[in-house]
């Protein structure tokens, strides 16, 4: 599905149980029946009807006639698995109909959508699983719960498109596939494991990844171990203990690199004093460093120490580092076997990095002006589309204060208001990394209309609170919606009562910075993924 969308811009739009096929040995699968597929690059594709497919497997948004999105298809994969879990009793067994779900076949689409919303709600989902999942499929409950968390964050349908959902769903499926494979092996091999003379014992142990440390050494005695390599603060715990090097060690090292950045990076051209308890990692023995790292990643220690030692500049990275800690050290433990899904699970959090990067750009704009500010805007691809003509009045009209547009003597208060308009412009146009939004005519006019008309237009944006709030909801990009509360607060302090300032107020500097820093701290990065 992802390959068809990425390589050919083809969206399937009919993911259902009958259209998911497996090969003979069930080692691979593919999607069948592309009759309802569309080419999303064609103009009509964006307006293609959402109501396509089999109702029991259709996404809630598709049932409500939303334009069809790849997010709907990913949700349909969830409903396929859900349907299997409530009906499949095992080979050659037939599940009994469940009226509550059978009704989805012939109810109105809107009624089916309401029924599905009730199923996925926070207060009902787990109880629904316990009540309706068959005994045969009960081992799939942890998997379907994880997919529910990914597809329906906080028990709600998605608010915006997120292509990292492919990687996160695939990671959960692959992770649980390994667990289910081990479960299946257990049924035929536990008796053999009890018999130390069984010739297949080592094979079963290897399949179950339960080989003892002695047997591991025996199996690996022909493999030449490389010398310990790396810089100790960034080395994986296992590498410090002289384990044969694995790609899992390198993935853990990425975690330690990010952790170290959080401890020491105070911002551009700033240097932090050494932290003795972590500096010791440079010169203590590898075994001691491993012990110190092991103690640090325990659940009772990690979050408190991360919060305590992370620099103010890097505090927005705390949720990201915490998520990576959960992936790399599940329940505070080191990995027990090699798991290549860890690549995708770590990469799935890249959206959080983009959110953090946006925050750093916004804060930098508060510190910069003139050509430096233009370089930042160039980097964000937010420079206005009209040429940057410098009239006698100083500034770029879309960012200029209302008073400056009316040719008042320039004042520091005008510059502080300009920061408001810079952030406002970012929220209108920034769709995310490498994405470009179409111009919005009512705001693009600020580039070429007379300064007086531009001033009147800006007044109309900020003078009425209710109208301003409506404009932020309608025109701000999905990527920047989390900045709406910040913009509302800035409007209140920069335009008290919806009016322009009357007297100079140097405290406005600290008020503006306080609002931006509060937005940084309150940014719900988990929701942005």
């Amino acid at each position: 599905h992802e390959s068809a969308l990425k390589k050919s811009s083809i969206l399937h739009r009919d993911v259902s149980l009958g259209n998911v096929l497996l090969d003979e040995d069930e080692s691979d699968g593919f999607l069948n029946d592309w009759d309802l597929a569309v080419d999303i690059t064609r103009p009509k594709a964006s307006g293609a009807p959402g109501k396509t497919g089999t109702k029991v497997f259709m996404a809630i948004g598709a049932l409500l006639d939303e334009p069809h999105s790849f997010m709907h298809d990913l949700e349909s994969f969830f409903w396929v698995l859900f349907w299997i879990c409530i009906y499949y009793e095992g080979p050659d067994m037939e599940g009994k109909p469940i009226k509550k779900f059978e009704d989805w076949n012939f109810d109105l689409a809107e009624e089916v959508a309401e029924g599905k919303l009730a199923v996925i709600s926070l207060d009902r989902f787990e109880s629904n699983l316990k009540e309706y999942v068959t005994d045969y499929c009960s081992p799939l409950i942890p998997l379907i719960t994880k997919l529910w968390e990914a597809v329906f964050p906080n028990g709600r349908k998605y608010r915006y498109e997120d292509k990292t959902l492919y990687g996160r769903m695939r990671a959960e499926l692959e992770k649980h596939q390994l667990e289910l494979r081990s479960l299946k092996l257990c049924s035929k091999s536990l008796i053999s494991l009890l018999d130390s003379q069984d010739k297949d014992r080592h094979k079963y142990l290897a399949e179950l990844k339960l080989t003892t440390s002695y047997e591991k050494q025996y199996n690996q005695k022909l493999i030449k171990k490389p010398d310990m390599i790396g810089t100790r603060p960034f080395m994986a715990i296992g590498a410090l203990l002289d384990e044969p090097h694995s790609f899992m060690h390198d993935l853990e090292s990425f975690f330690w690199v990010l952790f170290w950045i959080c401890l020491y990076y105070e911002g551009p051209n700033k240097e932090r004093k050494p932290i003795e308890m972590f500096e010791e990692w440079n010169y203590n023995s590898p075994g001691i460093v491993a012990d110190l790292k092991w103690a640090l990643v325990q659940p009772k220690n990690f979050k408190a120490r991360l919060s305590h030692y992370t620099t103010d500049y890097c505090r927005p990275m705390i949720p990201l580092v915490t998520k990576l800690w959960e992936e790399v050290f599940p329940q505070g433990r080191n990995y027990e076997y090699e798991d290549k899904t860890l690549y995708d699970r770590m990469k799935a959090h890249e959206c959080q990095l983009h959110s953090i990067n946006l925050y750093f750009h916004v804060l930098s704009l508060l510190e910069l002006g003139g050509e430096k500010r233009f370089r930042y805007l160039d980097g964000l691809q937010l420079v206005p589309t009209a040429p940057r003509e410098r009239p006698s009045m100083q500034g770029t009209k879309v960012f200029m204060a209302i008073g400056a547009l009316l040719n008042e003597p320039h004042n520091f208060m005008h510059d502080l208001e300009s920061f408001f308009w810079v952030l406002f412009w970012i929220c209108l146009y920034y769709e995310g990394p490498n994405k470009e939004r179409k111009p919005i005519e009512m705001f693009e006019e600020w580039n070429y209309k007379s300064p007086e008309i531009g001033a009147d237009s800006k007044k109309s944006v900020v003078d009425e609170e209710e109208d301003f709030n409506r404009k932020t909801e309608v025109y701000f990009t999905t990527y920047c919606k989390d900045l709406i509360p910040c913009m509302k607060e800035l409007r209140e302090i920069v335009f008290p009562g919806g009016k322009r300032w009357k007297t100079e107020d140097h405290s406005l500097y600290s008020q503006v910075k306080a609002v931006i820093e509060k937005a940084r701290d309150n940014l719900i990065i988990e929701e942005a993924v």
Side-chain angles (χ1 to χ4, degrees):
H1 190 279
E2 184 181 22
S3 177
L5 187 64
K6 280 186 175 179
K7 295 179 180 178
S8 305
S9 300
I10 299 297
L11 184 61
H12 187 278
R13 300 201 309 153
D14 189 17
V15 174
S16 64
L17 187 59
N19 289 338
V20 177
L21 304 182
L22 300 177
D23 60 16
E24 287 186 6
D25 62 359
E26 298 185 4
S27 63
D28 200 4
F30 55 93
L31 273 175
N32 188 34
D33 190 359
W34 293 77
D35 291 349
L36 296 175
V38 294
D39 182 346
I40 63 171
T41 61
R42 293 183 179 177
K44 290 185 179 179
S46 60
K51 214 170 283 185
T52 60
T54 310
K55 280 187 282 189
V56 295
F57 307 121
M58 283 170 66
I60 294 166
L63 288 163
L64 297 175
D65 217 17
E66 294 176 358
H68 209 93
S69 160
F70 70 89
M71 296 289 285
H72 293 141
D73 281 5
L74 290 178
E75 184 183 327
S76 289
F77 282 114
F78 168 86
W79 290 115
V80 167
L81 185 58
F82 179 82
W83 199 259
I84 290 170
C85 287
I86 62 176
Y87 278 97
Y88 190 54
E89 295 278 8
D92 304 319
M93 303 275 286
E94 188 171 343
K96 295 179 182 179
I98 305 169
K99 186 177 187 310
K100 173 178 179 177
F101 301 115
E102 287 293 321
D103 286 350
W104 291 0
N105 286 291
F106 49 83
D107 278 347
L108 295 173
E110 292 76 10
E111 293 172 338
V112 179
E114 288 180 13
K116 290 189 173 187
L117 284 169
V119 167
I120 62 152
S121 63
L122 275 176
D123 57 340
R124 297 186 191 178
F125 183 72
E126 291 185 3
S127 61
N128 280 324
L129 291 185
K130 290 177 182 177
E131 182 176 357
Y132 295 111
V133 170
T134 65
D135 291 340
Y136 188 85
C137 291
S138 59
L140 288 170
I141 287 178
L143 167 61
I144 200 164
T145 302
K146 284 291 185 183
L147 292 177
W148 167 70
E149 291 172 354
V151 177
F152 304 105
N154 296 319
R156 301 174 187 168
K157 72 185 190 73
Y158 81 96
R159 289 160 48 197
Y160 47 83
E161 294 185 348
D162 176 10
K163 289 190 177 177
T164 69
L165 186 57
Y166 276 106
R168 290 185 285 127
M169 291 181 72
R170 189 164 52 241
E172 292 299 339
L173 288 163
E174 290 172 352
K175 174 186 172 185
H176 285 80
Q177 185 181 38
L178 289 171
E179 294 174 358
L180 290 169
R181 190 176 297 150
S182 295
L183 192 65
K184 187 176 179 181
L185 283 166
C186 281
S187 64
K188 68 178 182 181
S189 62
L190 284 178
I191 295 175
S192 295
L193 289 173
L194 291 172
D195 182 3
S196 61
Q197 302 304 314
D198 193 307
K199 64 180 181 180
D200 289 329
R201 181 169 182 268
H202 285 288
K203 181 184 74 174
Y204 288 131
L205 285 168
E207 288 177 325
L208 290 169
K209 303 188 186 299
L210 292 173
T211 310
T212 64
S213 57
Y214 172 81
E215 288 165 333
K216 282 183 181 177
Q217 292 172 17
Y218 178 82
N219 292 335
Q220 295 168 352
K221 65 182 181 181
L222 298 178
I223 302 174
K224 184 180 184 299
K225 292 184 182 178
D227 294 332
M228 187 182 300
I229 53 174
T231 308
R232 288 178 201 168
F234 309 127
M235 286 174 67
I237 294 170
L240 289 162
L241 296 176
D242 213 19
E243 292 177 358
H245 208 86
S246 159
F247 70 88
M248 296 288 285
H249 294 144
D250 283 357
L251 290 178
E252 184 184 328
S253 288
F254 283 117
F255 165 82
W256 290 116
V257 167
L258 196 55
F259 177 77
W260 201 261
I261 289 171
C262 288
L263 297 179
Y264 282 92
Y265 192 54
E266 291 276 15
N269 304 317
K270 294 183 181 179
E271 187 173 346
R272 184 175 186 177
K273 294 179 181 178
I275 306 170
E276 184 60 30
M277 70 176 291
F278 300 113
E279 288 295 316
E280 290 178 354
W281 293 3
N282 286 292
Y283 50 81
N284 274 333
S285 69
I288 291 176
V289 177
D291 287 343
L292 293 171
K293 288 188 173 186
W294 184 250
L296 175 70
V297 299
Q298 297 310 300
K300 63 181 180 181
N301 297 329
F302 182 75
K303 291 182 181 179
R305 291 190 182 176
L306 178 66
S307 178
H308 180 73
Y309 289 107
T310 296
T311 65
D312 289 340
Y313 191 85
C314 290
R315 296 200 76 76
M317 297 175 72
I318 288 178
L320 170 61
V321 178
T322 303
K323 278 293 178 186
L324 294 180
W325 165 70
E326 291 171 355
E327 300 287 7
V328 177
F329 303 101
Q331 298 178 339
R333 293 182 293 186
N334 211 350
Y335 78 94
E336 297 174 357
Y337 52 85
E338 293 186 346
D339 177 8
K340 289 189 177 178
T341 70
L342 186 57
Y343 279 105
D344 278 337
R345 286 187 283 125
M346 292 179 75
K347 285 195 293 184
H349 300 293
E350 66 181 336
C351 183
Q352 297 182 11
L353 279 173
H354 295 320
S355 296
I356 292 164
N357 189 45
L358 174 60
Y359 156 72
F360 284 140
H361 277 302
V362 171
L363 202 60
S364 296
L365 287 168
L366 277 174
E367 307 291 342
L368 300 175
E371 290 306 313
K372 289 184 179 179
R373 187 190 304 160
F374 275 117
R375 284 200 293 274
Y376 269 101
L377 291 168
D378 280 332
L380 289 172
Q381 298 177 338
L382 291 171
V383 178
T385 53
R388 295 185 202 152
E389 297 177 1
R390 295 281 177 149
S392 56
M393 68 176 66
Q394 190 173 358
T396 307
K397 283 187 277 189
V398 295
F399 306 129
M400 285 173 67
I402 295 168
L405 288 165
L406 297 175
N407 220 16
E408 293 177 357
H410 207 85
N411 183 287
F412 73 89
M413 296 289 284
H414 293 142
D415 283 357
L416 290 175
E417 182 185 329
S418 289
F419 284 123
F420 170 87
W421 293 114
V422 167
L423 188 53
F424 183 79
W425 197 262
I426 289 173
C427 292
L428 293 176
Y429 282 91
Y430 191 53
E431 290 277 15
N434 304 317
K435 293 184 180 179
E436 188 173 344
R437 186 175 185 178
K438 294 177 181 178
I440 306 170
E441 184 60 31
M442 70 177 292
F443 300 113
E444 288 292 322
E445 289 179 351
W446 294 358
N447 286 293
Y448 50 82
K449 293 280 186 172
S450 70
E452 293 77 13
I453 293 176
D456 287 341
S457 181
K458 287 188 174 185
K459 283 180 189 176
S460 70
V461 168
V462 298
D463 60 359
E464 294 292 338
E465 181 179 6
E466 186 175 340
D467 186 55
F468 178 78
N469 294 345
R470 184 187 64 80
K471 283 184 170 67
T472 61
E473 293 290 344
V474 172
Y475 294 110
F476 280 18
T477 66
T478 302
Y479 191 85
C480 292
K481 290 284 189 191
D482 286 335
L483 287 172
I484 288 178
C486 171
M487 290 304 302
K488 289 179 179 178
E489 287 193 55
L490 287 177
R491 174 191 165 276
E492 290 173 4
I493 61 174
V494 177
F495 303 100
K499 307 298 180 184
R500 295 197 299 119
W501 59 276
K502 295 179 179 178
T503 57
E504 294 181 1
D505 179 7
H506 283 276
S507 73
L508 189 58
Y509 276 105
S510 57
Q511 292 181 62
V512 170
K513 291 184 73 172
V515 171
I516 294 292
E517 288 168 354
K518 177 184 174 183
R520 171 197 67 184
D521 294 337
N522 293 338
L523 188 63
I524 309 175
I525 297 176
E526 180 67 16
E527 283 294 311
V529 172

